[in-house]
Amino acid sequence: MVRVGALDTHVVDEGAGAPVLLLHGSGPGVSALANWRLTLPALVAAGRRTIAPDLIGFGQTVPPTDHRYTMESWVEHVVALMDVLDLDTTDLVGNSFGGALALRLAIEHPERVRRLVLMGSVGVPFEITPGLQTVWGYRASVEGMREVLDTFTYDGAGITDDLAQLRYESSIAEGADQRFAAMFPAPRQRWVDAMASHEDEVRGISAPTLLVHGRDDRVIPVATSQRLLELIPRADLHVFGQTGHWTQIERTDEFNTLLVRFLDGQG
């Protein structure tokens, strides 16, 4: 646990070397470790100090009950965490909702972002998908969690009853379901809109950027990454076929290889 302002923040901090900061998505029951458990070992093995915080309201980072969830509060928290950890500059990887935060950091604090990776990222306008409605509209139950997990993947492969039970338990631990319900209440299109950055600001991003997306993503449409490719000057896009929203889990080995190569300046 790391004290960030008035908030105890849970952080996975492993390995040594050039830092890389991982920002997770916004699924129910998510935490840094759940999101990045298959990515962390690859980055540590590649000689990286790998840092993955639980963002405000997720995992073990629990704000006061009257906390108001906004993009500004999430971004400010990440910047303050970087200050506490003495991260003057870092490589930055954002997944989905975490991608929108990473995008804002690259816009507002360009001097602190060396290389940028956006995975299935929010950050430009789009009409909310039925899949994202399912994720943000989650009502705590094993069946509801199974529906969310199926939505994240291309064909539901690997989604077992045991996994649904485990993630369900995470989604209700210590009031996590109440915090999640307070983040993205209906009507939910407004939260997609709140996470979108202005196109002129996105065009100003100077960091080399890797965009990664599953072609068959039912949560965040691949068109969002295609639009970011058009806007960010130094961007490349890799699209995985027969892959949903969980590229780092559905295509673990290929994703980790791609990520390490890019961060090492080889792609």
Side-chain angles (χ1 to χ4, degrees):
M1 300 299 289
V2 175
R3 191 72 172 178
V4 180
L7 185 61
D8 287 329
T9 300
H10 183 256
V11 181
V12 179
D13 190 346
E14 299 180 349
V20 55
L21 179 63
L22 309 177
L23 304 181
H24 63 71
S26 64
V30 77
S31 66
L33 191 56
N35 202 147
W36 300 115
R37 65 188 183 279
L38 302 179
T39 308
L40 287 159
L43 290 171
V44 171
R48 292 295 188 129
R49 180 188 177 192
T50 307
I51 302 158
D54 288 346
L55 300 170
I56 298 177
F58 294 94
Q60 298 177 53
T61 302
V62 180
T65 54
D66 61 351
H67 178 78
R68 181 170 175 265
Y69 295 97
T70 65
M71 280 291 289
E72 291 75 15
S73 71
W74 276 307
V75 171
E76 289 172 2
H77 175 246
V78 174
V79 173
L81 174 65
M82 290 176 65
D83 291 341
V84 169
L85 297 179
D86 294 323
L87 297 179
D88 293 330
T89 186
T90 185
D91 291 328
L92 187 60
V93 184
N95 178 212
S96 192
F97 152 79
L101 301 185
L103 201 64
R104 291 306 312 169
L105 281 164
I107 290 168
E108 296 176 8
H109 304 277
E111 74 286 353
R112 306 194 72 166
V113 179
R114 192 185 78 97
R115 284 185 167 242
L116 177 65
V117 181
L118 304 174
M119 307 161 46
S121 181
V122 188
V124 292
F126 66 93
E127 183 176 348
I128 192 168
T129 62
L132 186 52
Q133 290 277 19
T134 295
V135 173
W136 282 352
Y138 167 76
R139 293 182 180 275
S141 68
V142 176
E143 296 76 16
M145 180 57 73
R146 181 65 187 251
E147 183 181 12
V148 168
L149 297 179
D150 284 341
T151 300
F152 278 142
T153 62
Y154 169 65
D155 57 5
I159 304 303
T160 64
D161 291 342
D162 287 345
L163 177 59
Q165 179 69 37
L166 183 64
R167 285 295 295 264
Y168 161 69
E169 291 172 1
S170 296
S171 78
I172 61 172
E174 299 181 5
D177 53 331
Q178 298 172 31
R179 293 194 298 276
F180 188 74
M183 290 180 192
F184 311 110
R188 297 187 175 89
Q189 180 65 48
R190 56 183 163 154
W191 309 120
V192 174
D193 298 341
M195 292 180 193
S197 295
H198 293 295
E199 290 192 350
D200 287 345
E201 293 178 324
V202 177
R203 287 190 181 96
I205 292 174
S206 58
T209 301
L210 174 65
L211 305 164
V212 180
H213 218 114
R215 182 193 64 200
D216 307 289
D217 191 335
R218 291 180 287 159
V219 180
I220 308 299
V222 68
T224 62
S225 285
Q226 292 166 339
R227 182 57 180 154
L228 288 168
L229 177 66
E230 295 171 353
L231 295 172
I232 300 174
R234 302 174 67 188
D236 292 314
L237 169 62
H238 188 101
V239 177
F240 286 99
Q242 294 187 325
T243 305
H245 192 56
W246 266 359
T247 54
Q248 79 277 26
I249 294 172
E250 296 177 85
R251 303 295 289 271
T252 299
D253 291 342
E254 298 100 318
F255 171 74
N256 288 342
T257 298
L258 183 69
L259 176 61
V260 169
R261 284 180 57 85
F262 174 75
L263 295 181
D264 285 347
Q266 301 175 32

